[in-house]
Amino acid sequence: MQKVRHQIQAIGSSSFDNGKEFACRHCPNSRPKIYDSYQRVYEAPAVDIVYIGTPHGHHYRNCLDAIAAGKNVLCEKAFALNAEQARIVIDAAREENVYIAEAMWLRHRPLVQELRRLIHQDKVIGEVSRARADFSLEIDIASLPPTTRGTPSRSERPEVKAGQTHEHGVEVATSVLLKYPSTGRQGIAISTTKVSAPPGEPFAIIYGRNGYIKIEGLTASMPHSFSVYKTPQEGPQCPYSLWTPPEKGKRYTFPNYGRGFVYEADNTALDILAGRKQSVVMPWSETIRMMEIMDEIRRQGGTVYPSDRC
């Protein structure tokens, strides 16, 4: 259930006709003002919050323009092309005293909030040692048209080892090993546009000393459940080499409300109503940290943006 009532006041598009078509299709219960430019949305007095959903190569300029107009901003991921752009945008928001946040929508979902609580507060699988995530989605890169979209205080920047594969100048596969120096924990992340993951397979597993958690969903961006499996403690009566993983776990399921964007919209509105200038769920420090990690992955993998050469 929504926590806040939202009103779509304006839609900015590359053309009036495109904006009108979008509104007819997606806004049946409201009558937003249609503009043929983004700037006119930023300047609209009825608009309190601007949601930026353009291709991420445009986020930097779009954010700065909206901030200059005095608007609060929720910007889609990736927040910018690199960490330096992200810092400039955040500094501008701080200077203008407006809200800005990265729309890392998965972190706002109730499933992720409950998962974090069970792992970090209830410690249902004990001390976490490793996490593995796989984002696989088959996409024919060569056939795409040119217009195609191409807890903070405890967070640390991990050591990164990464490799990437490119086709037609586009990254199509990435493998990343993350090591967190303070604990020795590891994260293994894999993404590819060459194949799709088998249906029904868990796309992420979190391993702890006392068990593991499998996260399931139609895709990695649309999780609908996770299962907690408790394993027996190691000891003289139960040597590690003899125990078998449990067949059944405790399953937690979560309904999909729309496509899940409403949770980040609600939390953004609640932040602003409370007078906050950054997100409780995705604060500025976390956006910068993630952008720095992605910068390093691209550096090692060989993916270079024109902005990197500036």
Side-chain angles (χ1 to χ4, degrees):
M1 180 175 293
Q2 289 180 264
K3 304 173 185 177
V4 182
R5 182 178 180 274
H6 304 271
Q7 180 67 45
I8 301 175
Q9 296 284 0
I11 293 175
S13 180
S14 57
S15 73
F16 180 84
D17 288 341
N18 287 345
K20 185 176 179 181
E21 180 183 353
F22 180 91
C24 290
R25 183 182 304 173
H26 299 290
C27 308
N29 300 318
S30 60
R31 295 186 177 182
K33 183 80 172 178
I34 309 299
Y35 294 104
D36 60 1
S37 76
Y38 303 136
Q39 187 63 40
R40 295 183 67 188
V41 174
Y42 308 150
E43 296 170 353
V47 173
D48 298 314
I49 306 168
V50 172
Y51 169 76
I52 294 175
T54 53
H56 73 284
H58 297 275
H59 290 179
Y60 174 69
R61 188 71 262 163
N62 294 155
C63 284
L64 290 178
D65 289 344
I67 290 168
K71 289 295 189 284
N72 301 300
V73 178
L74 177 63
C75 179
E76 256 307 329
K77 54 178 177 42
F79 188 74
L81 289 179
N82 53 48
E84 180 59 26
Q85 287 188 353
R87 292 188 189 95
I88 293 172
V89 169
I90 289 171
D91 286 344
R94 185 185 289 110
E95 180 69 22
E96 294 294 329
N97 196 34
V98 297
Y99 178 96
I100 192 165
E102 182 176 17
M104 194 68 74
W105 69 316
L106 278 179
R107 299 196 184 200
H108 293 266
R109 295 177 76 103
L111 180 150
V112 174
Q113 296 295 312
E114 179 66 6
L115 184 61
R116 288 170 62 92
R117 186 188 68 81
L118 290 172
I119 292 173
H120 298 297
Q121 296 182 26
D122 293 358
K123 301 187 182 301
V124 293
I125 58 172
E127 182 181 351
V128 173
S129 60
R130 188 177 72 160
R132 174 175 64 81
D134 186 353
F135 187 90
S136 302
L137 186 64
E138 187 175 3
I139 302 174
D140 187 355
I141 296 294
S143 67
L144 294 178
T147 54
T148 300
R149 293 170 177 259
T151 34
S153 62
R154 296 196 303 272
S155 298
E156 63 177 306
R157 180 173 174 178
E159 298 172 0
V160 176
K161 298 294 182 183
Q164 294 183 314
T165 300
H166 300 79
E167 291 184 2
H168 309 285
V170 179
E171 174 265 319
V172 296
T174 297
S175 296
V176 183
L177 176 63
L178 306 170
K179 180 181 177 181
Y180 295 84
S182 66
T183 61
R185 294 171 181 167
Q186 294 185 356
I188 304 167
I190 302 169
S191 70
T192 181
T193 58
K194 299 298 292 180
V195 296
S196 293
E201 290 289 324
F203 58 80
I205 304 179
I206 303 169
Y207 302 88
R209 181 173 178 81
N210 302 328
Y212 55 92
I213 298 173
K214 293 182 177 181
I215 308 173
E216 306 105 4
L218 296 176
T219 70
S221 60
M222 291 287 287
H224 59 63
S225 64
F226 62 82
S227 299
V228 178
Y229 297 85
K230 304 296 286 291
T231 55
Q233 298 293 313
E234 297 179 43
Q237 304 303 317
C238 185
Y240 183 85
S241 60
L242 297 181
W243 73 265
T244 56
E247 295 181 359
K248 294 183 178 180
K250 183 176 180 180
R251 195 162 187 255
Y252 297 76
T253 60
F254 298 80
N256 281 324
Y257 186 52
R259 296 196 64 184
F261 291 96
V262 68
Y263 304 112
E264 67 183 13
D266 279 356
N267 288 337
T268 295
L270 292 172
D271 281 336
I272 292 172
L273 288 170
R276 290 186 283 269
K277 300 304 178 183
Q278 56 181 304
S279 169
V280 172
V281 175
M282 192 68 187
W284 297 341
S285 59
E286 186 66 359
T287 287
I288 295 297
R289 187 179 77 99
M290 292 302 300
M291 292 303 308
E292 289 176 341
I293 292 172
M294 289 191 288
D295 284 353
E296 181 60 19
I297 291 171
R298 289 194 299 109
R299 187 190 69 80
Q300 294 186 27
T303 299
V304 180
Y305 297 148
S307 58
D308 296 329
R309 302 187 181 99
C310 298

